[in-house]
Amino acid sequence: MKRLLIVLILITAVVLTACGSRAVATTFVDQSAGGRAPEAPMATMAPAQAEKSADSFNAGSAVPPAQQDRLVIQNADLAIVVKDTKAKMDQMSQLAKNMGGFVVSANLYQTTAPNGTQVPEGSIVIRVPADRLEEALTLIKADAVDVQNETRSGQDVTQEYVDLKSRLKNLEAAEAQLTKIMEEAKKTEDVLNVFNQLVYYREQIELVKGQMQYYEQSATYSAISARLIAEETIKPLQVGGWKPQGVVRDAVQSLINFMQDFVNFVIWSVLYYLPVLLVIALIIGLPIWLAYIIIRAIARRSKKNKAPPAPPPAQ
């Protein structure tokens, strides 16, 4: 009787579960066919939810990075010695304008030469079209006294740009949906809440557009940062034909050579000479030590055999 009751209870539970699942499925089908479920007020929708809805709306709209044109930011840093700092700065400014670029910043200041005189030095940053970067560098270095440093760098921002572009589409779609909901809202509270979310999304859209514009401009125009060093600052100091800095340089170089030779000797001694001496000592000393042990043992045994018998004890 108990088993029959348990079987009936299980059958009833299965039937109720199936009916409930069917009711849920029917409700879903009815809503898909055109039935509209009650909508929650926009005041309860978080910005993340609205953006997620926009993500699903624009799914598949992003173009894979492989199909995008590569967006590479190329820059160059220079440290050059020039005869006239002011003239060189004006020349670089005019060069940027002639190539269709512009000057980002320019700074001219005074520094002290080894002989105590004040000479001008400067730093300048210009932007030129990326496809003419090599030409601009050649023209800048053409009349320079010396090029002390030159660094080229490149940064591929294609992936970051594609991500920003996809995010911009999602934000604009979310903004359009919020605008439509705001037009249909009736309550003042709902209108204010939707308006606050619109302000948030529009702010995000402006930030993304600004970042994209920065990437585009940086990839289109390469930056050249140049430090202009006056020729007087690198001329050797002379006192009646005597160059003290040359003596100092020779002394420092001799010290460096001595330290280098000393360190090399220590390294060779520890890593080469010492192991070689140990191996030689082991090869030569071990047989000699074994021979000494054997000879000493034989000598002791011979001495023991030749020793006279002990006298008998006294009565």
Side-chain angles (χ1 to χ4, degrees):
M1 186 64 181
K2 292 182 178 180
R3 293 181 179 178
L4 180 60
L5 182 60
I6 293 173
V7 172
L8 291 176
I9 292 173
L10 292 176
I11 293 174
T12 303
V14 172
V15 172
L16 291 176
T17 304
C19 292
S21 302
R22 184 176 180 183
V24 173
T26 304
T27 303
F28 177 76
V29 172
D30 291 341
Q31 292 178 0
S32 301
R36 185 172 183 180
E39 293 183 356
M42 194 60 195
T44 60
M45 181 180 292
Q49 294 176 343
E51 188 170 356
K52 183 178 181 182
S53 176
D55 291 339
S56 62
F57 177 78
N58 292 284
S61 61
V63 181
Q67 301 178 6
Q68 295 282 337
D69 294 334
R70 309 308 299 179
L71 206 64
V72 181
I73 299 175
Q74 298 182 11
N75 297 322
D77 293 327
L78 292 174
I80 57 176
V81 180
V82 296
K83 296 181 179 179
D84 191 341
T85 305
K86 182 66 170 57
K88 188 63 177 179
M89 185 174 294
D90 295 339
Q91 178 189 355
M92 291 184 62
S93 301
Q94 189 62 37
L95 175 65
K97 294 178 182 179
N98 294 339
M99 288 188 171
F102 53 92
V103 179
V104 178
S105 63
N107 183 22
L108 188 65
Y109 52 90
Q110 296 290 326
T111 186
T112 304
N115 56 7
T117 59
Q118 295 290 325
V119 293
E121 285 195 359
S123 60
I124 183 173
V125 180
I126 62 174
R127 284 191 176 273
V128 298
D131 55 350
R132 304 188 67 179
L133 175 61
E134 193 66 34
E135 178 185 356
L137 291 174
T138 302
L139 293 175
I140 291 173
K141 295 183 295 182
D143 57 349
V145 178
D146 185 26
V147 179
Q148 293 189 348
N149 184 29
E150 180 179 356
T151 304
R152 299 280 295 272
S153 63
Q155 180 184 4
D156 190 349
V157 295
T158 307
Q159 184 62 47
E160 290 82 353
Y161 185 81
V162 171
D163 294 341
L164 288 173
K165 192 174 182 180
S166 177
R167 185 182 177 190
L168 179 62
K169 291 182 180 179
N170 296 333
L171 290 172
E172 290 177 344
E175 181 193 14
Q177 292 179 4
L178 289 171
T179 303
K180 184 177 180 181
I181 294 173
M182 184 176 178
E183 293 174 354
E184 298 175 355
K186 303 299 182 182
K187 296 181 181 180
T188 305
E189 181 181 359
D190 294 343
V191 173
L192 291 176
N193 290 330
V194 175
F195 176 76
N196 291 333
Q197 294 183 23
L198 275 174
V199 171
Y200 167 78
Y201 276 98
R202 285 168 182 169
E203 180 182 358
Q204 295 298 315
I205 288 174
E206 293 301 324
L207 291 175
V208 172
K209 286 183 177 179
Q211 187 67 27
M212 291 177 63
Q213 185 179 3
Y214 169 76
Y215 282 150
E216 292 172 356
Q217 187 179 22
S218 299
T220 305
Y221 293 93
S222 298
I224 301 177
S225 303
R227 180 191 171 198
L228 307 179
I229 304 172
E231 185 180 10
E232 290 81 358
T233 59
I234 64 171
K235 287 183 177 180
L237 178 63
Q238 296 185 10
V239 180
W242 176 54
K243 300 179 180 180
Q245 73 279 3
V247 179
V248 174
R249 183 185 65 250
D250 296 339
V252 172
Q253 186 63 43
S254 300
L255 177 61
I256 293 174
N257 294 336
F258 169 76
M259 296 300 297
Q260 182 179 359
D261 295 339
F262 178 74
V263 172
N264 291 339
F265 171 75
V266 172
I267 294 174
W268 275 89
S269 299
V270 174
L271 299 181
Y272 178 74
Y273 295 118
L274 185 59
V276 169
L277 291 176
L278 290 176
V279 172
I280 294 175
L282 185 63
I283 295 175
I284 299 177
L286 183 60
I288 295 176
W289 182 74
L290 292 176
Y292 169 75
I293 295 297
I294 295 173
I295 293 173
R296 189 178 65 174
I298 295 174
R300 287 182 178 179
R301 183 174 297 179
S302 301
K303 186 177 180 181
K304 185 177 181 181
N305 294 333
K306 294 180 179 180
Q315 296 294 328

